[in-house]
Amino acid sequence: MTQQFTDHQGRAVVVEEITEDNWRDVADVAPADGQRQFVAALAARYLLLSQRGEVWTSLGVRAGDDIVGHVMWAYDDDHDAHWIGGMVVGAAEQGKGVGRATLGAVIEHLSALSGCRQICLSYHPGNTSAGSLYTSFGFQPTGDLEDDEIVMALLVS
Ligand SMILES: CC(C)(COP(=O)(O)OP(=O)(O)OC[C@H]1O[C@@H](n2cnc3c(N)ncnc32)[C@H](O)[C@@H]1OP(=O)(O)O)[C@@H](O)C(=O)NCCC(=O)NCCS
């Protein structure tokens, strides 16, 4: 059964494919200025990465009627793991429960893919908001670093 994810205002939060209708709004998603040390300055960078390579798949994050974020995923066959990356909630939408709902929705999305056994992600050690969010979902450090970021993993049952 599909779970409903909502933010603090009760808006339904879903992750959705990039389409002709939503790509402009997803591309415009921007973190707060001080967060550019952790992520790209605009989600457009991640959309291009998804489009140019065959590794990442971008998804838009919708809360109610509005596009409020971006997240992407990839499959790493070396480690038989699915990865989450490029998670950005627009600066004005942060602190409203969107990030928590997004992570729940993308974990559900990946868990439904056949053969998904482990989900990995990484975060900059200084990005304590992201770190505590991931820990609260049960992600645990693997001990590995990826581009100076702490790698965490969650086993999918
Ligand atoms: C990290 C991020 C996605 C969280 O999204 P959000 O919508 O602000 O988060 P939520 O409101 O759902 O809060 C979820 C949790 O994040 C953490 N968090 C959010 N804002 C925080 C803050 N200002 N200080 C400390 N922790 C914070 C808390 O653990 C919070 O837990 P709670 O649900 O018990 O309150 C968002 O801050 C963001 O886009 N940051 C910039 C990009 C980024 O760093 N992405 C992660 C890359 S690894």
Side-chain angles (χ1 to χ4, degrees), residues 12-150:
V13 175
V14 295
V15 290
E16 61 183 37
E17 280 178 30
I18 303 302
T19 65
E20 191 52 37
D21 291 332
N22 69 15
W23 73 265
R24 293 169 187 80
D25 290 336
V26 178
D28 288 345
V29 169
D33 289 351
Q35 295 169 333
R36 288 192 218 149
Q37 59 183 312
F38 305 135
V39 289
L42 262 188
R45 167 98 75 99
Y46 297 121
L47 277 185
L48 276 172
L49 186 65
S50 290
Q51 198 177 45
R52 285 172 55 84
E54 290 178 354
V55 178
W56 292 97
T57 300
S58 281
L59 298 168
V61 178
R62 185 178 292 280
D65 292 334
D66 301 321
I67 291 291
V68 295
H70 169 276
V71 65
M72 61 191 186
W73 68 271
Y75 175 64
D76 166 12
D77 51 6
D78 284 348
H79 301 94
D80 190 19
H82 286 75
W83 281 74
I84 295 172
M87 184 157 123
V88 184
V89 173
E93 296 286 352
Q94 292 180 18
K96 299 179 182 174
V98 172
R100 180 171 291 284
T102 299
L103 190 58
V106 75
I107 289 171
E108 180 179 81
H109 181 80
L110 294 179
S111 304
L113 301 177
S114 68
C116 178
R117 280 178 276 281
Q118 181 176 214
I119 299 174
C120 294
L121 46 72
S122 69
Y123 71 97
H124 188 281
N127 196 351
T128 49
S129 312
S132 50
L133 173 61
Y134 302 149
T135 302
S136 72
F137 271 82
F139 281 89
Q140 295 191 339
T142 63
D144 294 334
L145 289 179
E146 185 80 29
D147 294 334
D148 293 333
E149 294 197 343
I150 296 165

